[in-house]
Amino acid sequence: MFMTKILIAAMFLSAVPLPLFGAAYPKNAVHLDTKKVATGCSTCHLSFNFKAGGGPETCIICHGDASRLKKEYKNMPRNFAPTSGNRKNIEAEFAKTYRHPTFDAKGIHRSNEILPETDSRMPRHAECVDCHNPHYVSTENKFAGIRGKRVGNVISSVSKEYELCYKCHGESTNLPGQYGNKRMEFATSNPSYHPVEDEGKNTAVISLLKPYKEKKINAGDVSMISCGDCHGSENPESPRGPHGSLYEFILVDHYSTKDNQTETPFAYALCYRCHDRSSILGNESFRYHALHIQGRGSSTGANGTSCYTCHSSHGSPDNKYLLTFNKTVVSANSQGQLKFVEKGVSTFRGECYLSCHGVDHNPKSY
Ligand code: HEC
Ligand code: HEC
Ligand code: HEC
Ligand code: HEC
Ligand code: HEC
Ligand code: HEC
Ligand code: HEC
């Protein structure tokens, strides 16, 4: 603690950026570029509480509503205004219904905290500085300088988006009960997963739309996706990042997880971005997709069910095809079994042992 104070004092006296943990500030750090932020270190370090990290207010002066810039600049030193750059309104993203609790859980962040959280009693939070290191961030790498995993005595820096997310959505002991460990869901040792950490295991995902492909063969093929392909603003004009969205779970597109509903392009719009709706409803893989998704039609009063009733959105530690039954809709069959059994590889055949809407599957085969 004492050493840190001396270090900070030394930094400001010498006005020379010193390395924070191992490496010197990179040359492309946007906030330390005096062509972009004219007043250097003191721009942000005039008056905030170091221990608590300054809060989102430190950032939204420049990354918030444009009117804020004019108002708050009045109290700032001369030349404070960034001299260039085309900044987007990040603050507005956090006004949306579904968002990271950046403005909802303020003052919990500590600059010396180590994530994933090991104290289960700690309240959850996600501040701007948890995801962006203001001294390192660059146009090329928005997570530069965020401390990653500890390997022996070395703390690496986050280089992949998912590593950043796992800091709070992986092993955290304060993870709310209803949420799962995302690192486990995406583990490449799972029988199936959406290809975030590596290419996927299924070589016959026939519904994939261009440019998505199971394996990258040609230059234009995209065989891997990121958390950000699904989580982020619903508005493509908005700044990138999982700040906020009008759609539940901070999704870039609408996705309903409900049972008993009518299938529409909107209901499962997120999935249909990458998986051809006509292939899915045309039963090209699972022979009974349409039956389940659309139901038997309104004449019998039976509606369809969501992809979520059968599929995880992330990965499955137990089954192929992301099969993870939604236990609030699906239960064990008359023999007490609840499982999926694969019949051959890429043959589109299998057996389901379960009970759903009062229909006993003991098993049902396709
Ligand atoms: C864009 C705003 C901004 C600028 C410019 C800036 N800082 Fe910081 N600095 C912060 C914030 C915010 C924190 C708190 C980080 C946290 O809590 O995680 C911080 C924390 C620190 C710390 C505490 C250790 C740490 O990293 O948490 C030191 C030391 C520091 N800054 C030095 C500097 C120096 C030296 C410069 C100029 C080369 C500088 N800062 C420029 C925003 C800024
Ligand atoms: C004094 C104004 C100012 C403050 C305060 C400020 N920034 Fe910035 N920030 C900028 C400018 C200017 C850029 C470069 C934008 C460009 O080049 O278009 C930038 C770039 C960024 C980027 C990279 C985005 C990109 O498109 O290059 C991130 C992320 C970012 N800032 C986060 C933060 C965070 C987090 C804080 C608070 C700790 C903060 N900023 C505080 C002015 C500021
Ligand atoms: C510093 C911690 C932190 C980091 C890093 C972080 N999150 Fe979060 N995230 C939270 C907190 C806190 C919530 C509020 C709910 C909770 O406590 O889990 C949340 C909520 C979410 C939700 C909404 C959940 C819901 O039920 O609506 C999504 C989606 C999400 N985060 C995705 C991400 C992604 C993607 C990343 C990486 C780019 C990420 N998060 C990085 C802390 C974090
Ligand atoms: C293919 C799209 C897709 C990708 C890629 C994706 N998600 Fe999600 N995520 C969803 C959907 C859809 C939901 C809501 C339904 C659900 O919970 O499965 C969701 C829900 C969540 C939630 C809240 C509910 C829960 O299960 O905890 C968090 C947190 C989350 N995702 C984090 C992440 C992180 C972190 C990554 C990257 C490592 C990621 N997601 C990648 C589609 C995706
Ligand atoms: C939970 C993590 C998280 C939090 C909290 C968060 N961001 Fe981000 N932010 C991201 C991610 C991820 C990206 C997207 C990086 C990419 O894909 O290029 C991003 C992108 C950005 C960008 C660049 C946008 C663009 O389109 O170029 C800016 C600027 C930014 N964030 C500022 C902020 C500010 C200011 C705050 C706090 C008010 C904040 N962020 C809070 C994760 C976060
Ligand atoms: C009743 C359970 C069920 C529902 C509901 C369901 N699926 Fe499936 N889905 C399956 C099964 C079983 C398979 C595996 C077929 C096989 O053996 O290859 C599968 C396979 C897939 C595949 C991989 C093969 C392909 O077609 O590319 C995708 C993608 C898919 N489903 C997407 C969806 C989407 C999107 C929805 C919602 C619109 C959905 N599923 C609804 C059971 C379901
Ligand atoms: C950003 C593009 C993208 C989105 C959005 C997306 N997927 Fe996928 N999905 C992929 C890719 C790429 C693969 C191929 C992975 C492989 O080859 O194993 C895949 C594979 C699958 C598989 C087969 C996995 C396996 O191992 O058999 C299922 C099932 C699936 N997706 C369901 C869904 C559902 C349900 C949604 C909506 C919640 C969805 N996907 C949204 C890109 C996407």
Side-chain angles (χ1 to χ4, degrees):
M1 212 36 245
F2 182 63
M3 280 307 292
T4 318
K5 277 190 189 140
I6 293 187
L7 183 64
I8 294 169
M11 280 179 173
F12 286 112
L13 284 177
S14 61
V16 174
L18 288 176
L20 285 188
F21 48 93
Y25 294 137
K27 287 209 176 65
N28 61 353
V30 280
H31 295 131
L32 307 183
D33 176 349
T34 47
K35 284 198 222 77
K36 290 192 168 161
V37 178
T39 44
C41 311
S42 63
T43 313
C44 303
H45 285 291
L46 272 181
S47 65
F48 78 70
N49 175 351
F50 260 105
K51 279 195 199 142
E57 287 78 9
T58 312
C59 313
I60 56 169
I61 296 175
C62 299
H63 293 287
D65 195 275
S67 69
R68 193 181 280 280
L69 258 161
K70 286 197 203 100
K71 258 186 286 162
E72 301 191 18
Y73 271 157
K74 289 202 189 107
N75 308 320
M76 293 292 168
R78 252 167 71 86
N79 297 329
F80 172 78
T83 44
S84 73
N86 173 24
R87 287 169 319 284
K88 303 169 187 163
N89 187 350
I90 307 283
E91 187 183 4
E93 297 300 305
F94 288 100
K96 295 177 177 172
T97 314
Y98 304 99
R99 59 191 180 230
H100 265 103
T102 305
F103 291 81
D104 308 296
K106 287 197 289 194
I108 300 167
H109 166 90
R110 287 290 168 272
S111 56
N112 61 354
E113 74 192 355
I114 297 175
L115 300 173
E117 184 56 61
T118 53
D119 181 349
S120 60
R121 293 160 307 175
M122 273 304 282
R124 302 267 292 163
H125 72 276
E127 289 219 1
C128 313
V129 292
D130 286 308
C131 297
H132 306 288
N133 184 325
H135 312 117
Y136 284 69
V137 75
S138 65
T139 306
E140 299 75 38
N141 185 351
K142 275 123 198 161
F143 335 113
I146 293 286
R147 275 166 282 195
K149 268 188 300 201
R150 176 187 286 276
V151 182
N153 280 331
V154 184
I155 299 179
S156 60
S157 179
V158 163
S159 60
K160 301 259 171 42
E161 182 197 56
Y162 63 79
E163 293 171 14
L164 169 69
C165 312
Y166 293 165
K167 291 186 72 167
C168 302
H169 296 289
E171 283 75 31
S172 306
T173 53
N174 62 349
L175 205 61
Q178 72 272 34
Y179 297 124
N181 177 336
K182 296 290 163 279
R183 189 195 295 281
M184 282 165 69
E185 292 174 17
F186 283 102
T188 53
S189 52
N190 286 342
S192 63
Y193 49 81
H194 260 129
V196 168
E197 292 196 21
D198 202 350
E199 287 187 328
K201 287 202 172 152
N202 188 341
T203 51
V205 185
I206 50 177
S207 65
L208 280 179
L209 288 164
K210 272 191 180 142
Y212 298 102
K213 278 279 192 192
E214 299 89 333
K215 300 277 176 236
K216 189 176 173 80
I217 297 165
N218 300 313
D221 297 345
V222 177
S223 59
M224 285 177 63
I225 61 177
S226 68
C227 313
D229 283 324
C230 296
H231 294 288
S233 174
E234 82 297 337
N235 180 352
E237 304 291 304
S238 286
R240 285 184 56 81
H243 304 120
S245 170
L246 294 178
Y247 297 131
E248 205 180 353
F249 310 112
I250 322 179
L251 290 169
V252 296
D253 227 327
H254 182 261
Y255 180 58
S256 172
T257 57
K258 288 199 230 31
D259 184 31
N260 251 319
Q261 61 172 346
T262 307
E263 193 279 341
T264 62
F266 181 70
Y268 312 114
L270 177 73
C271 313
Y272 296 152
R273 278 191 170 206
C274 305
H275 297 284
D276 186 8
R277 178 171 177 251
S278 52
S279 166
I280 299 286
L281 299 179
N283 300 326
E284 289 191 340
S285 60
F286 176 40
R287 209 190 312 165
Y288 301 116
H289 256 149
L291 176 70
H292 289 90
I293 299 166
Q294 296 176 308
R296 289 207 161 82
S298 48
S299 55
T300 59
N303 265 325
T305 197
S306 169
C307 325
Y308 185 72
T309 302
C310 302
H311 294 292
S312 156
S313 317
H314 300 135
S316 170
D318 306 314
N319 295 316
K320 288 189 156 194
Y321 316 117
L322 308 182
L323 289 170
T324 305
F325 298 110
N326 176 358
K327 302 260 167 45
T328 64
V329 180
V330 181
S331 54
N333 68 9
S334 52
Q335 301 299 308
Q337 295 163 305
L338 176 48
K339 64 175 181 185
F340 167 76
V341 176
E342 159 91 7
K343 293 282 168 192
V345 177
S346 305
T347 54
F348 305 128
R349 288 177 55 235
E351 291 174 338
C352 294
Y353 296 75
L354 53 86
S355 172
C356 194
H357 288 216
V359 182
D360 197 32
H361 293 49
N362 186 24
K364 291 246 187 241
S365 310
Y366 66 89

